[in-house]
Amino acid sequence: MDALIDETSSGLGRVVTCVAPVNIAVVKYWGKTNEDLIIPLNDSISLTLSTEHLRARTTIKTIPQSNDITFELNGVTEKLTKRLSRAIQLCREEAVRQNTATQEVVSAGLTIISDNNFPTAAGLASSAAGFACLVCALQHLYGIQGDVSAIVRQGSGSACRSVFGGFVRWAKGHREDGNDSIARQLFPASHWPELRVLIVVVSDHKKETSSTKGMQTTVETSDLLKFRTEVVVPKRCEDMERAIEKRDFPSFAELTMRDSNQFHATCLDTYPPIFYLNSTSQEILMLCHDYNQKKGAATVAYSFDAGANAFLFTLNKSVPEICGLLQARFGVTDFKGDPVSDFCLHEEHGSSISGSKTKDVVKYVIVTKVGEGAHLVENDTSS
């Protein structure tokens, strides 16, 4: 995130625009040791998705002779939340500490306009993209140097992974102040260019149980979560790093699916239980297993965050057949993102598992890939 800082500008009346990506965790975090600082119970590993298809975009303008802050999301004026206010304050404090902006600049009012090109709060990691984008823009506005993932984390935990592109690991850290709970890039997006992600959108409505509320209840009531964070995840993170390093798709696929299953098992172990998956999610899940069995190898993997939408992972050569399978099973006609030239569903792989067509339960599919992290797209010093 190298800033294009205008050293001659006073910083007043400046306009900065940034975009930030969605990320999808293949080893997930669920639960915190500190709610205020958003320090996770365990490490997590994610893939950053291309901003060509899923992105938050934030424009921030400083308002001289004012200390008011206004925030607009997707065309609607919103109240500043506690986490938004904290992210802004932390960026201002860091800019003063680094002496990259004057007190006058960091005290000036702000107009913040943000939008997502995908549904908000529907299990597509909108908060991760949104907070990463906000802090990225503030970093460039105030000229902050260095890693800001610890600041981003305090807005939305998983957002710190969207700071970086490619394959990212967020460490839980060991310090009580959370300063070592930061994200770092494991491998750039170019490391595994054949990897593709298909996002099967089952629901674009706001989920009933927010991630924040769900985590709190799980931490308070689930015995399985303790076993997961202390025993399972540490080894799984190391195994996942090796699978990604070697571009070992079968190992990557199994680890990803097992981790998704266990995450949702902890949600079911929560009292009262939390249900993020619906019947269509379950149908997609079993379709992947049936397809892999028919192929004789792990060819597609699924992962579900705190929502009903499926993230499917496969290699580029298999995308046409996976799209063909989704089309045959769910009657999907709306495929967005990267173009897929010819859908194909080979008889020996598809006829026995496509089953009877279930219509109108999948809204659309986004075909995308691993991409870059949060970045500046405009640095305007005009008033």
Side-chain angles (χ1 to χ4, degrees):
M1 285 176 47
D2 294 331
L4 303 177
I5 301 300
D6 181 352
E7 300 292 350
T8 64
S9 172
S10 67
L12 294 174
R14 294 184 63 210
V15 179
V16 171
T17 300
C18 286
V19 297
V22 164
N23 73 77
I24 172 67
V26 289
V27 179
K28 302 183 185 298
Y29 113 88
W30 193 250
K32 311 177 188 77
T33 60
N34 186 307
E35 288 285 342
D36 292 330
L37 297 177
I38 312 186
I39 302 174
L41 282 169
N42 60 269
D43 286 19
S44 56
I45 295 177
S46 64
L47 282 64
T48 301
L49 304 184
S50 171
T51 55
E52 292 179 41
H53 311 124
L54 294 166
R55 60 102 183 106
R57 179 185 178 97
T58 298
T59 297
I60 302 181
K61 180 179 180 179
T62 55
I63 309 299
Q65 299 177 335
S66 171
N67 56 13
D68 293 336
I69 300 175
T70 59
F71 175 60
E72 180 181 299
L73 176 62
N74 295 328
V76 178
T77 300
E78 304 276 1
K79 291 183 179 180
L80 278 181
T81 64
K82 180 180 177 182
R83 288 184 177 182
L84 276 171
S85 298
R86 179 168 175 77
I88 294 168
Q89 183 59 33
L90 288 170
C91 286
R92 286 173 162 176
E93 291 173 357
E94 185 62 18
V96 171
R97 188 189 71 81
Q98 293 187 14
N99 198 29
T100 58
T102 65
Q103 189 63 50
E104 181 185 16
V105 170
V106 299
S107 299
L110 299 172
T111 297
I112 305 170
I113 300 174
S114 187
D115 70 90
N116 303 324
N117 65 349
F118 58 94
T120 301
L124 291 175
S126 58
S127 64
F131 273 101
C133 200
L134 172 71
V135 175
C136 174
L138 289 168
Q139 178 185 29
H140 294 315
L141 185 71
Y142 295 140
I144 298 169
Q145 302 299 309
D147 179 19
V148 292
S149 68
I151 295 176
V152 177
R153 185 201 77 231
Q154 295 180 63
S156 170
S158 59
C160 70
R161 299 189 305 245
S162 285
V163 172
F164 301 100
F167 303 84
V168 181
R169 182 166 179 168
W170 171 22
K172 67 176 183 178
H174 301 284
R175 294 179 50 158
E176 289 187 4
D177 62 9
N179 285 343
D180 59 348
S181 182
I182 59 175
R184 63 181 176 89
Q185 185 184 73
L186 298 174
F187 306 99
S190 59
H191 172 72
W192 202 347
E194 302 86 5
L195 193 62
R196 294 293 183 270
V197 184
L198 281 67
I199 305 170
V200 185
V201 178
V202 173
S203 171
D204 54 9
H205 298 298
K206 187 174 182 178
K207 56 197 176 190
E208 293 182 7
T209 305
S210 71
S211 296
T212 299
K213 177 60 178 176
M215 286 186 198
Q216 290 172 347
T217 309
T218 303
V219 169
E220 292 168 1
T221 63
S222 173
D223 294 329
L224 178 59
L225 181 66
K226 181 178 175 64
F227 176 76
R228 168 174 165 77
T229 58
E230 294 181 359
V231 178
V232 177
V233 171
K235 182 179 185 302
R236 186 165 286 162
C237 279
E238 300 309 312
D239 292 343
M240 182 64 78
E241 275 202 41
R242 282 193 294 272
I244 295 170
E245 179 182 17
K246 295 177 181 179
R247 293 182 285 273
D248 177 355
F249 187 81
S251 296
F252 169 85
E254 181 174 346
L255 290 165
T256 296
M257 291 186 284
R258 284 184 177 275
D259 198 76
S260 178
N261 293 346
Q262 191 179 64
F263 158 59
H264 287 280
T266 64
C267 292
L268 290 175
D269 191 50
T270 302
Y271 190 81
I274 303 169
F275 299 93
Y276 286 117
L277 305 185
N278 61 22
S279 59
T280 305
S281 309
Q282 294 165 2
E283 192 172 352
I284 294 168
L285 183 155
M286 292 311 302
L287 187 64
C288 290
H289 282 291
D290 290 345
Y291 179 73
N292 287 338
Q293 184 176 20
K294 198 72 177 177
K295 295 286 283 188
T299 305
V300 62
Y302 58 79
S303 184
F304 295 85
D305 272 351
N309 301 314
F311 293 79
L312 305 184
F313 304 89
T314 191
L315 299 179
N316 189 45
K317 63 183 179 181
S318 300
V319 169
E321 188 165 276
I322 301 300
C323 288
L325 183 62
L326 293 171
Q327 188 178 58
R329 183 60 170 266
F330 300 107
V332 185
T333 58
D334 190 0
F335 287 84
K336 306 177 186 293
D338 290 338
V340 181
S341 55
D342 296 308
F343 294 177
C344 62
L345 185 60
H346 297 302
E347 183 68 21
E348 66 269 27
H349 300 318
S351 59
S352 64
I353 59 175
S354 59
S356 58
K357 187 177 291 186
T358 307
K359 294 183 178 179
D360 302 324
V361 293
V362 173
K363 295 181 179 295
Y364 53 89
V365 175
I366 304 171
V367 182
T368 189
K369 53 187 174 291
V370 182
E372 303 303 325
H375 58 276
L376 183 73
V377 295
E378 182 181 345
N379 191 21
D380 186 351
T381 59
S382 63
S383 57

